[in-house]
Amino acid sequence: MKTINDFNFENKKALIRVDFNVPLNEGFEVTDTTRIEAAKPTIIKVLEDGGSAVLMSHLGRPKGVQDEFSLQHIAATVSNILGVQVTFVSDCVGPEAEAAVDALNPGEVLLLENLRFYSEETQGDVGFAEKLSKLGDIYINDAFGTAHRAHASTTIVAQFFSGSKCFGSLLAKEIESIDKVLSSGQKPVTAVLGGSKVSSKITIIENILDKVDHLIIGGGMTYTFVKAQGGQIGDSICEDDKQELALEILKKAEAKGVKIHLPVDVLGADDFNNNANTKVVDVTAIPEGWQGLDAGPNTISNFHDVIMQSKTILWNGPLGVFEMENFAKGTIALGHSIAEATEKGAFSLVGGGDSVAAVKQFGFGDKVSYVSTGGGAMLESLEGKSLPGIEAIKS
Ligand code: AMP
């Protein structure tokens, strides 16, 4: 796996695919700079070597050229974060972009206009990718969030940089973290899968059954498993057509020696509402008119014990409806458990959608080993799929 550390960028122009798809407010100010900060180490390494950086990204989903999606809006923020003046060029291919690249001196940074102003970008057009390839000597992909897309700037462009392409430090870290969880991690390995539906997690479950020692299942998925085993789940969320599948998963896990941990008690509510009446109930005896919306105290304690024995932990999906304050306790407790295990030396990766939001919201971001920056890309990795953006660098 070639990373930026395998290259010296002195007098080289690095064409870097970053993920600057950041949220903007109505005044076009960046409201969350995480992604820009995450790309900083790679850019700084290039500049410190004595090279220059040509940054390319998409922003939002423009239909053709739309000023509201211009990357010009974020140029000043990128300058501030990097501590280097950033020049913006109002095209991402063609004579204007090429002239701006030609004028670039070592230590300087150029930001190209939104790649998605051209539909060729998402189409993975080879001609467009070739035009992009003229804008640098070495190609670096540091955009994990789009690594699962075979777009021109994330995948296709790599074919024009034989021997001179590599992963940025952010993307390398993502790959290493996934690898630690799925193949090289210290045992026992535990995966916590929460969230709402079995159907959206089934491919992940099937893939990780070969890799983990413990599988904790929580959140809304719980009830499909409990009902399939004959429990009374009241009005809890359930995918009736996935009950067979749930039983199959349990059987497969047993055959593979994977220990499955399901909630034993839950916080029941008489409505899907933060102000609903609540009571702790046995997960197999939820009364009609009630639904399980969070993990119960015994469940929290059981999950804590499993987490504390684990040396490698993957967390994907909340244990309850954490968006409602009264049903966030299980998710917060799990965050505490994982933070404690991490402090004691376990490796912990939080990845994919809502668990990342929960970890950030409840302040666990710096208490786990790694928080993935890519939702869809992380989910596809956990499903065992190879990502085109990653393969393109390796080939
Ligand atoms: P996912 O996107 O599949 O990871 O699901 C995340 C969503 O699952 C969050 O919005 C949670 O509110 C929801 N969720 C978690 N537990 C439950 C539950 N017991 N009942 C309904 N929704 C839940």
Side-chain angles (χ1 to χ4, degrees), residues 17 115-116 118-124 128 132 151-153:
R17 179 46 159 108
L115 292 158
R116 290 199 189 166
Y118 290 86
S119 60
E120 289 93 332
E121 161 63 0
T122 51
Q123 289 161 0
F128 180 70
L132 288 173
H151 293 170
S153 70

Side-chain angles (χ1 to χ4, degrees), residues 194-197 200-201 219-220 223 237 272 291-294 316-323 352 354:
S196 52
K197 289 180 176 169
S200 63
K201 301 283 158 89
Y223 308 98
I237 187 173
F272 190 82
Q291 53 187 306
L293 293 186
D294 197 5
N316 172 275
L319 291 190
V321 185
F322 75 99
E323 299 92 334
D354 275 328

Side-chain angles (χ1 to χ4, degrees), residues 190-210:
T190 297
V192 186
L193 293 185
S196 52
K197 289 180 176 169
V198 178
S199 52
S200 63
K201 301 283 158 89
I202 184 63
T203 325
I204 297 182
I205 297 179
E206 285 178 340
N207 184 44
I208 62 174
L209 277 184
D210 286 321

Side-chain angles (χ1 to χ4, degrees), residues 2-5 7 9 12-19 42 46 52-57 112 115 121 129 132-144 146-147 149-169 171 388-395:
K2 274 206 172 150
T3 73
I4 46 169
N5 296 325
F7 288 85
F9 291 91
K12 299 283 184 204
K13 289 172 178 166
L15 177 63
I16 313 179
R17 179 46 159 108
V18 289
D19 180 1
T42 294
V46 168
S52 54
V54 180
L55 309 179
M56 57 177 174
S57 177
L112 304 178
L115 292 158
E121 161 63 0
L132 288 173
S133 75
K134 296 194 192 315
L135 307 178
D137 308 309
I138 300 172
Y139 170 65
I140 304 174
N141 190 352
D142 208 20
F144 182 63
T146 48
R149 308 278 186 221
H151 293 170
S153 70
T154 64
T155 302
I156 313 301
V157 71
Q159 72 195 55
F160 299 101
F161 289 92
S162 175
S164 53
K165 54 188 172 182
C166 62
F167 295 110
S169 60
L171 187 39
I390 291 175
E391 292 309 310
I393 296 284
K394 285 182 178 168
S395 63

